[in-house]
Amino acid sequence: MIEISTDKSKLQIEAIHRFLTETYWAKGRTIQAVKTSIENCLCFGVYKEAKQIGFARVATDYVVFAYLMDVFILPEYRGKGYSKELIKAIHEEPQLLSCKTWMLKTADAHGLYKQFGYTELNKPEIVMERIIK
């Protein structure tokens, strides 16, 4: 049994930072950057017996658009359906129900997100991005 909460006071920032800094998408992110990103997003902590075992955050205007980021379940807790529970909880979050456009980037979890209706871009010709290296 896990608990999924949007209560930021429960987030274990050091644990989140420790995991994120080793990922392909957030390697080297500072703890201050993690704190700032948490302050400016709707966050979801995943807990098992008070230990944080997962996390996700959503950058959103709470009306139209939601961007899902930094989703993870710690490796030792994977394979138990917790990531599915997390994504389901995010999509059922009352504050996000009016958002009709959801986006995310992933290099390796397409199978998970496809179960929740995510697809490749339907009209890539109308989507643009700006990436600063």
Side-chain angles (χ1 to χ4, degrees):
M1 186 77 163
I2 60 170
E3 175 192 0
I4 299 172
S5 174
T6 59
D7 182 350
K8 288 184 183 179
S9 71
K10 291 183 171 189
L11 293 173
Q12 297 166 14
I13 307 295
E14 293 79 15
I16 295 167
H17 175 255
R18 191 169 37 255
F19 181 84
L20 287 178
T21 196
E22 296 301 321
T23 64
Y24 70 85
W25 71 86
K27 191 162 197 68
R29 191 178 293 171
T30 67
I31 193 150
Q32 185 56 52
V34 170
K35 289 177 181 177
T36 300
S37 69
I38 286 170
E39 289 168 9
N40 291 291
C41 289
L42 178 60
C43 298
F44 295 79
V46 183
Y47 307 92
K48 187 162 182 69
E49 299 170 6
K51 177 183 178 182
Q52 184 154 9
I53 64 163
F55 176 76
R57 66 187 179 94
V58 178
T60 183
D61 61 9
Y62 296 96
V63 178
V64 177
F65 184 78
Y67 193 93
L68 183 57
M69 294 180 279
D70 291 342
V71 179
F72 72 85
I73 299 293
L74 293 176
E76 60 268 33
Y77 294 94
R78 293 180 187 161
K80 299 174 181 359
Y82 297 155
S83 60
K84 290 179 189 173
E85 288 185 56
L86 174 57
I87 301 304
K88 183 177 185 287
I90 291 168
H91 288 152
E92 293 177 352
E93 170 57 42
Q95 297 178 81
L96 301 173
L97 291 179
S98 72
C99 295
K100 301 298 182 220
T101 301
W102 286 75
M103 293 189 80
L104 62 84
K105 289 184 179 181
T106 185
D108 57 4
H110 296 79
L112 169 65
Y113 297 114
K114 284 182 178 184
Q115 295 174 54
F116 292 92
Y118 290 86
T119 63
E120 287 77 20
L121 291 176
N122 186 29
K123 294 184 177 182
E125 68 277 8
I126 67 168
V127 178
M128 297 179 71
E129 68 181 357
R130 179 176 180 244
I131 298 176
I132 300 169
K133 296 183 182 200

